[in-house]
Amino acid sequence: MGTVSALPFAFALDPARVGLVVIDMQRDFLEPGGFGESLGNDVHPLQAIVPAVAKLIAGFRAAGRPVIHTRECHAPDLSDCPPAKRLRGPEGKRIGDPGPMGRILVRGEPGADIVPDLAPLPGELVLDKPGKGAFHATPLDAELERLGLRQLVFAGVTTEVCVQTTMREANDRGYECLLAEDATESYFPEFKAATLAMIRAQGAIVGWTAETDAILEALA
Ligand code: TIU
């Protein structure tokens, strides 16, 4: 076991049972012209975490531990996108509408791709998810079971939407969850801070948070 210097207290990392889940590091969230910008957000703060996410991915690969990537995107006929989701954002810039990187948040379009610096390796699990949480309507739980994972380190965007939702889903399913503080970001700095605080409140009610370097030291 390795010990990660974490909050609200040390995280006992099991190098044989831990995996990395990288949430939605897609062009649609990080680059101008995608879904994130269409919602009125400045995408640049999200681009700034790419080096930290890359470092985390490299560390897990070097340790021989699984790296799982998710992409938030929908079927071309939008049959998996309910009106409650489709009708968010300004008309003409909603999920399924045409944009500079193809149809917004649609599977197979350039905007739905993971940014080139974080491209998955052949053999790594890449899960397309129609929800904010990565367990909803995906085989993620079965895949984690198949890989023998009980502990999940999380990175990606956005902290309070898809990352937090997925951590809560994972926590309810019995996984121990650790969020890499410098490898996640929000369009709203105050939402990121609040999310980190609420995850680790009440004795790690949802999970732990730690810096990337602390996680990789314990893994090495
Ligand atoms: N991946 C993810 O977080 N999806 C979002 O829609 N996030 C927003 O913050 N909008």
Side-chain angles (χ1 to χ4, degrees):
M1 297 290 258
T3 301
V4 182
S5 178
L7 289 170
F9 53 89
F11 182 88
L13 186 138
D14 182 348
R17 305 278 269 170
V18 71
L20 175 65
V21 182
V22 182
I23 304 279
D24 301 356
M25 291 297 286
Q26 295 162 258
R27 298 182 63 198
D28 258 325
F29 294 107
L30 271 68
E31 293 184 16
F35 184 60
E37 193 182 70
S38 82
L39 295 173
N41 302 304
D42 174 11
V43 295
H44 294 98
L46 274 59
Q47 293 172 9
I49 66 163
V50 168
V53 179
K55 189 174 183 181
L56 205 49
I57 290 173
F60 273 73
R61 285 176 181 159
R65 298 309 303 158
V67 178
I68 295 153
H69 310 257
T70 70
R71 298 184 294 210
E72 181 180 354
C73 56
H74 294 273
D77 65 2
L78 303 184
S79 55
D80 56 2
C81 187
K85 193 172 184 196
R86 158 86 180 136
L87 300 179
R88 301 282 76 78
E91 225 172 309
K93 293 184 171 185
R94 291 175 175 163
I95 294 171
D97 291 338
M101 292 185 287
R103 293 178 66 203
I104 291 174
L105 282 198
V106 169
R107 195 166 63 219
E109 299 285 340
D113 275 351
I114 292 169
V115 295
D117 286 352
L118 305 176
L121 287 183
E124 287 178 350
L125 191 59
V126 182
L127 280 182
D128 289 334
K129 63 186 185 58
K132 300 305 182 189
F135 287 84
H136 169 65
T138 73
L140 179 57
D141 203 17
E143 293 289 348
L144 297 177
E145 174 112 13
R146 183 179 62 78
L147 292 165
L149 302 183
R150 295 311 309 161
Q151 297 186 332
L152 302 175
V153 171
F154 285 92
V157 298
T158 61
T159 315
E160 80 281 12
V161 183
C162 291
V163 175
Q164 179 175 209
T165 301
T166 303
M167 285 185 73
R168 289 176 180 275
E169 289 180 321
N171 188 52
D172 279 348
R173 286 164 174 77
Y175 299 97
E176 291 179 331
C177 298
L178 173 60
L179 176 58
E181 296 173 15
D182 51 333
T184 185
E185 193 51 89
S186 169
Y187 299 117
F188 305 89
E190 68 275 25
F191 288 175
K192 175 178 176 178
T195 301
L196 296 181
M198 68 177 79
I199 282 169
R200 59 197 181 211
Q202 304 180 78
I205 194 82
V206 177
W208 287 254
T209 75
E211 294 287 334
T212 290
D213 285 347
I215 296 167
L216 294 179
E217 267 169 40
L219 185 65

